[in-house]
Amino acid sequence: MSDDADYLGQLDPDDPRTPSRQIANKLRAAILTGKLQPGDKLPSQSELAGRYGVARETVKAALRFLTSDHLIVTRQGSGVFVRAQTQQPVGLRPHVETGFDRSHASLDFAGFSGETLRNTIMEVLDKIRAGRLTPESLKIRIMMYDTTAPMLLPRRVGTDSTEPLIQKRANRITRRAVEGIMDAVQELADLKLVKTASVDVRTHNLAPSFKLYILNREEVFYGFYPIVEHAITLDGESVTLHDLMGKDATLFHFSIRDGETSDGPQFVQQAQAWFDSVWGTVAREYVP
């Protein structure tokens, strides 16, 4: 296979995932990050088998993963192609992993709390710790709702505002997530696995309705928070809340590399401008 496909990398013998899953993840990342564009033809099964040193059945299994994700389509007699319409809800982690494999990586996040952010990036930070990703610098900015101030959500069903125990719970979730990220990044710096690393956190009182990730100032992942009714145990009592459910937010992907007929480049520009404007005005330093 030509050097043009070097972005597909090689299999990692220390990765616990099966070769078919690793191959699927590498192809998925190439599609979602724009290295393989809608309409592009994938390398043949024989080429992929040769690159990764596996049987064609392993490659076929990998392609089935991508077919089920609606990312590729097989054209009889022609080969396998990236679907023409791939602007759909996307998984964030492959993009972050690819973005953190640069010399200088950055991630801006805006949302209600850092819980889903932490769940998304901890595995990627672990790969830096293991030497699988090698950025020279890493800069993360987190901008969240101030859970120590009066909040409208989450709140008990049938009430008009939150209450101290619910607010205390939200603050605890936020603190755990943010401190986990800060500790993990600081460890990378202490181990000298990254030359420079920083996590800056600010809060604001703007009512949260969406979450926003900006990767390397080039890619945006944007989704609305659904407000759901669910039960939690609070101080030994079962309580039903109206809550912001970040893990259920559907993310959509925009890139500065989107085509000329796409709004992607402008959306990325405006999202970054919005983040920087809030960061530099009404947002203030986070105090645990």
Side-chain angles (χ1 to χ4, degrees), residues 259-278:
E260 293 181 359
T261 59
S262 169
D263 292 331
Q266 185 177 11
F267 190 93
V268 173
Q269 180 186 37
Q270 292 302 309
Q272 187 70 68
W274 175 88
F275 186 97
D276 290 340
S277 69
V278 178

Side-chain angles (χ1 to χ4, degrees), residues 87-92 116 209-213 220-226 245-254:
Q87 290 300 325
Q88 58 175 5
V90 297
L92 179 62
T116 52
S209 59
F210 62 87
K211 61 168 53 180
L212 172 71
Y213 301 81
V220 161
F221 305 85
Y222 179 90
F224 294 98
Y225 280 117
M245 197 57 63
K247 66 181 181 180
D248 293 338
T250 298
L251 295 179
F252 293 90
H253 178 221
F254 303 88

